Amino acid sequence: MTENAAQDRRAAASPIGRRVASVFIPVKDIERSRAWYCRLLGFEESERDILFGHICVLPLDGTDVILDTMPKWGGAEPGGAAAIETPVLMLPTADLEASLAFVDALGAERLTDIEDGHWFVFKDLDGNKLMICKE
């Protein structure tokens, strides 16, 4: 058996799908974060329910974003769950300059200017890093 055939057999034996269904983002105040992310991503806040008192699902093309106060993962501790220190999401845009101006208008803390003519990084309300990248 060739090495590629052996790898294919091992991969085929996995019951785990080869896609990311959702990405969890830790937040401290679910209502405040829901409002901010709805503005960022163009959702009507009234259409995005808060589930179980700590989760808000934002359905995106391909992979959903789930805002969560993470009560089981540090959210109940003073200061809440830790922020993600590296960019957790890369969101695409056809207009990088307009996206930069939009993020600035939201009052986000920007960590970079447009880099290499292709991307920039900023923080959400809880210090999680996000990236906008030119399509």
Side-chain angles (χ1 to χ4, degrees):
M1 179 181 296
T2 68
E3 185 173 334
N4 285 342
Q7 287 176 344
D8 288 345
R9 194 174 89 233
R10 284 192 300 273
S14 175
I16 300 168
R18 289 184 176 181
R19 68 180 182 89
V20 175
S22 301
V23 173
F24 283 84
I25 298 179
V27 299
K28 292 173 181 51
D29 181 328
I30 192 66
E31 290 182 8
R32 182 173 171 238
S33 292
R34 173 183 63 176
W36 191 85
Y37 272 91
C38 282
R39 285 192 309 274
L40 177 71
L41 297 171
F43 287 102
E44 289 294 326
E45 187 178 343
S46 62
E47 296 174 356
R48 305 304 342 140
D49 293 332
I50 293 173
L51 307 171
F52 316 109
H54 65 95
I55 289 175
C56 179
V57 178
L58 302 171
L60 303 182
D61 296 339
T63 301
D64 295 344
V65 169
I66 301 176
L67 308 175
D68 190 350
T69 59
M70 306 276 179
K72 290 190 178 204
W73 312 112
E77 301 298 320
I84 299 173
E85 291 294 324
T86 59
V88 63
L89 297 177
M90 182 190 73
L91 299 165
T93 184
D95 189 336
L96 200 56
E97 290 77 17
S99 296
L100 183 76
F102 184 76
V103 165
D104 286 347
L106 284 177
E109 179 185 348
R110 194 158 27 99
L111 300 177
T112 71
D113 289 322
I114 294 173
E115 299 286 330
D116 303 321
H118 196 70
W119 59 273
F120 67 93
V121 174
F122 61 102
K123 289 183 180 180
D124 72 4
L125 298 174
D126 296 290
N128 298 297
K129 294 181 175 111
L130 308 171
M131 178 185 282
I132 304 287
C133 193
K134 189 173 184 177
E135 290 184 289

